[in-house]
Amino acid sequence: MQFIDLQRQYERIKERLNQRLSKVLESCKFILGPEIVELEEKLANFVGRKYCVSCSSGTDALLMTLMAWEIGEGDAVFTTPFTFIATSEVIRLLGATPVFVDIEPTTFNIDPDKLLMEIERVKKERKLRPKVILPVNLFGLPADYGKILKIAKTYELRVLEDAAQSFGGKRDGKFSCSWGDASATSFFPAKPLGCYGDGGAIFTDSDELYQILLSIRIHGQGKDRYDNVRLGLNGRFDTIQAAILLVKLEIFEEELELRNSIANKYIQLLDGKVTTPVIPDGCSSSWAQFSVLADSKEEREQLLESLKLNGIPTAIYYPKPLHLQKVNEDLGYKLGDFPISESISERIFSLPMHPYLKDEELELIAKSFSH
Ligand SMILES: *Cc1c(COP(=O)(O)O)cnc(C)c1O
């Protein structure tokens, strides 16, 4: 059994992939070819945004947006410590300071009440300028944008949605990648909409941000390629990868339904065995991961062992919150600062999740929870 079975999806789309890929190969338009424009239009339409700028990775999507907003030394970016390292890494690369806020115990997303308190604290302390809220939609479930956007408005902060795991997730009838000033997603192969390499995209409704992002994506170019007006990157997405995503996008909505039906089956089968994910009213997840909670660190170890004996692959997202990572040592956080993130990191683990999991496989997984 595979944790994420890309092979089964490939078998399904092989023929159309070959057609679209040979078109790119024959055209030889490898850099920002027509497939890039086609994909960006389709993605922007899908999520309901004015603009999409495809780019080299989810990490670069976050970084380019913060660069465009000229975030730097002395600026505070509020985010969660229970996420992938890229979220705090991009803030630190620009010399700005991540201000961590603990998560909600059931959704694992940033807690809006604690966010409000942290913004107040940073404002009173007057050492850092509050600039951006960077919520992460963990495992595919959108954070509480109702409350977050209200807080952002009150304090005049920008919101950058880390939607690396949540392309296809929904809240109150809106798709992920449609909230806040900008949204960043990832096309890393294991993400809900993954290509066959690295890739990402930024979404926004702002004409100004859109123009700056286009410039940053090509080394800060101005009027033309040899006029450089700001610091930028080589941040482009490959045309070949765009062609792959165009094929995958055709079956994406059906795959989302399959993921949701698998998640519902998991929740039924695992009833009474572990704590299964909670999806708040009005929300749906894109199920980048199906993560469950054991009662204790010891119980998690036993369960992982028993799953392993039955040939079931598992993973732990995330074993160590970002405030306890060595790279973030100089921020001065310590064990005990974010008790919810710390406790969850000791009890959480993820089960295989992809649209092509079979009923027999789900039953085998559930049976492997010896209790
Ligand atoms: C995967 C991920 C990223 C980074 O995306 P890449 O495409 O791998 O650079 C950023 N944030 C979160 C929450 C992620 O899961």
Side-chain angles (χ1 to χ4, degrees):
M1 200 184 302
Q2 298 284 317
F3 189 67
I4 295 178
D5 198 326
L6 293 172
Q7 204 81 39
R8 289 186 194 167
Q9 184 197 47
Y10 174 64
E11 291 303 327
R12 182 178 171 193
I13 57 177
K14 206 167 173 168
E15 255 172 66
R16 279 209 303 283
L17 272 178
N18 285 339
Q19 287 164 4
R20 287 225 71 145
L21 283 173
S22 47
K23 249 180 85 180
V24 179
L25 297 179
E26 272 159 36
S27 79
C28 288
K29 291 186 176 135
F30 300 123
I31 300 296
L32 298 182
E35 283 78 7
I36 293 282
V37 181
E38 184 184 346
L39 178 72
E40 288 177 341
E41 276 175 18
K42 286 194 168 142
L43 291 175
N45 277 339
F46 185 90
V47 303
R49 280 276 205 191
K50 199 163 166 191
Y51 300 114
C52 168
V53 179
S54 63
C55 65
S56 35
S57 69
T59 306
D60 288 346
L62 293 166
L63 181 66
M64 286 165 63
T65 308
L66 295 177
M67 286 169 75
W69 289 340
E70 297 179 14
I71 299 303
E73 212 179 318
D75 294 337
V77 179
F78 298 87
T79 193
T80 149
F82 196 63
T83 174
F84 182 56
I85 189 66
T87 313
S88 72
E89 184 178 45
V90 293
I91 301 167
R92 305 217 59 193
L93 275 171
L94 296 175
T97 304
V99 176
F100 293 122
V101 177
D102 212 354
I103 54 172
E104 299 174 324
T106 52
T107 65
F108 317 133
N109 284 329
I110 194 166
D111 182 328
D113 298 327
K114 290 180 182 149
L115 170 65
L116 189 74
M117 280 159 44
E118 270 308 277
I119 297 171
E120 277 293 341
R121 188 189 62 74
V122 169
K123 272 189 72 141
K124 278 208 192 89
E125 205 178 65
R126 303 179 74 129
K127 280 194 192 141
L128 297 168
R129 291 176 300 267
K131 282 282 177 72
V132 178
I133 305 172
L134 178 32
V136 178
N137 307 324
L138 206 72
F139 305 142
L141 179 71
D144 190 346
Y145 288 94
K147 287 187 184 163
I148 292 167
L149 294 175
K150 227 179 262 168
I151 294 170
K153 203 167 170 204
T154 308
Y155 292 93
E156 296 181 347
L157 303 176
R158 285 184 159 124
V159 174
L160 169 56
E161 184 193 349
D162 183 342
Q165 302 182 5
S166 63
F167 194 85
K170 268 185 156 177
R171 183 164 199 126
D172 302 327
K174 288 183 72 179
F175 269 116
S176 172
C177 291
S178 68
W179 295 293
D181 302 275
S183 314
T185 197
S186 163
F187 304 129
F188 182 81
K191 310 279 175 167
L193 180 64
C195 61
Y196 290 158
D198 279 306
I202 304 148
F203 297 87
T204 184
D205 294 316
S206 157
D207 303 313
E208 192 196 353
L209 178 60
Y210 175 65
Q211 294 301 333
I212 298 172
L213 287 171
L214 292 182
S215 162
I216 288 176
R217 184 168 70 175
I218 314 182
H219 304 288
Q221 80 170 24
K223 291 189 304 292
D224 58 57
R225 205 181 301 178
Y226 299 106
D227 177 36
N228 309 100
V229 296
R230 58 171 62 79
L231 286 175
L233 300 167
N234 174 356
R236 295 174 297 247
F237 188 47
D238 276 5
T239 308
I240 285 179
Q241 298 297 343
I244 291 162
L245 280 191
L246 282 165
V247 175
K248 290 208 187 187
L249 197 56
E250 287 172 22
I251 57 166
F252 184 69
E253 277 187 277
E254 191 197 323
E255 288 192 338
L256 266 182
E257 277 171 35
L258 289 169
R259 283 177 189 272
N260 272 291
S261 131
I262 287 160
N264 288 333
K265 284 180 196 162
Y266 256 139
I267 289 170
Q268 279 178 5
L269 287 166
L270 297 178
D271 186 39
K273 299 183 186 214
V274 274
T275 305
T276 50
V278 175
I279 305 299
D281 283 347
C283 290
S284 69
S285 178
S286 57
W287 299 108
Q289 301 296 342
F290 188 86
S291 303
V292 296
L293 288 177
D295 290 334
S296 63
K297 194 170 184 172
E298 295 70 35
E299 194 202 36
R300 176 173 73 182
E301 240 154 72
Q302 287 163 11
L303 290 172
L304 289 178
E305 192 52 38
S306 138
L307 286 158
K308 192 172 164 190
L309 284 174
N310 286 284
I312 317 289
T314 55
I316 296 178
Y317 302 111
Y318 294 90
K320 194 194 267 189
L322 301 194
H323 68 290
L324 301 176
Q325 295 287 351
K326 184 171 165 46
V327 64
N328 287 331
E329 217 169 42
D330 56 320
L331 294 174
Y333 290 105
K334 58 185 188 313
L335 190 70
D337 282 345
F338 303 105
I340 314 266
S341 298
E342 290 164 15
S343 148
I344 301 279
S345 72
E346 295 192 329
R347 294 159 50 215
I348 201 160
F349 62 101
S350 305
L351 297 170
M353 173 47 95
H354 60 82
Y356 305 100
L357 266 172
K358 298 174 183 149
D359 284 350
E360 310 91 81
E361 292 173 317
L362 290 170
E363 277 153 28
L364 174 66
I365 295 168
K367 258 194 256 154
S368 311
F369 279 76
S370 66
H371 229 58

